[in-house]
Amino acid sequence: MKVAFLVAPEGVEQVELTEPWQAVKDAGWSPELISTASGEIQAFNHLDKADTFPVDRTVKDASAADFDALVLPGGVANPDFLRLDPKAVAFAKGFYDAGKPVAAICHALWTLVEAKVVRGRTLTSWPSLRTDIENAGGHWVDQQVVVCTDKESTLITSRKPGDLKAFDEAFVAEFGKVAA
């Protein structure tokens, strides 16, 4: 199974990238880092610069058809940059349109709001996104992880870094249904 991780050139919360990445590898799957620019991305530990990571492909050179599932790590700046890039939004929406599972944590839901895929869905996120999700037609709940499946696709959402263990377990279980 090939899993895309979509991130902006800077601003991703490092732990929200590295822990799900490791969960994908531990499941025996292949993660790939997709960004809006080539080179390296700059991760952050909240507001402080952390490590850099090499980009495997840019959104202009990738499509949802190349992958089985998508992970959207958070960080405040990361999804804010992504939602302003039409190719990044289209890349994320492509998974939803193809019925492929999407996992998003923390502020990453902004990308899904921009992709217009939250209407009628029950989701969770960092609490400050509640109004954005509700204004986009989604139903926001304060839970560690929410798995929302409908006839279009499965969205797995989580609130914050403290929920990563539950998030990783939930998305690996859902992605595993595709891999089976």
Side-chain angles (χ1 to χ4, degrees):
M1 166 175 273
K2 289 178 64 175
V3 180
F5 282 72
L6 177 61
V7 297
E10 64 179 358
V12 68
E13 185 70 26
Q14 182 160 316
V15 70
E16 293 176 13
L17 170 64
T18 57
E19 286 195 21
W21 185 278
Q22 189 61 51
V24 166
K25 290 182 78 168
D26 289 348
W29 304 329
S30 301
E32 194 167 319
L33 191 63
I34 310 299
S35 188
T36 57
S38 60
E40 293 185 328
I41 60 110
Q42 175 66 62
F44 281 75
N45 292 324
H46 192 52
L47 299 175
D48 299 321
K49 283 187 177 180
D51 297 324
T52 59
F53 297 89
V55 172
D56 294 308
R57 275 197 262 184
T58 64
V59 291
K60 70 179 171 96
D61 297 322
S63 92
D66 301 333
F67 301 94
D68 301 299
L70 173 65
V71 175
L72 295 169
V76 178
N78 175 55
D80 198 46
F81 288 134
L82 291 176
R83 71 190 305 192
L84 294 174
D85 187 303
K87 286 185 173 85
V89 173
F91 180 76
K93 188 174 186 320
F95 285 84
Y96 180 84
D97 290 345
K100 296 179 179 184
V102 175
I105 186 167
C106 202
H107 288 80
L109 273 286
W110 270 336
T111 306
L112 298 178
V113 166
E114 195 66 31
K116 296 179 175 54
V117 300
V118 303
R119 180 168 302 285
R121 307 304 291 267
T122 298
L123 310 156
T124 194
S125 68
W126 186 255
S128 65
L129 277 67
R130 177 183 185 158
T131 301
D132 295 329
I133 290 167
E134 289 174 345
N135 286 343
H139 175 67
W140 186 88
V141 295
D142 185 12
Q143 295 177 9
Q144 209 175 27
V145 176
V146 174
V147 177
C148 184
T149 301
D150 69 9
K151 61 183 178 178
E152 280 85 28
S153 70
T154 298
L155 298 179
I156 305 100
T157 56
S158 193
R159 299 176 300 192
K160 60 188 177 184
D163 297 335
L164 275 164
K165 184 177 183 329
F167 176 66
D168 292 347
E169 289 172 359
F171 87 73
V172 166
E174 291 301 316
F175 288 9
K177 293 175 184 177
V178 174

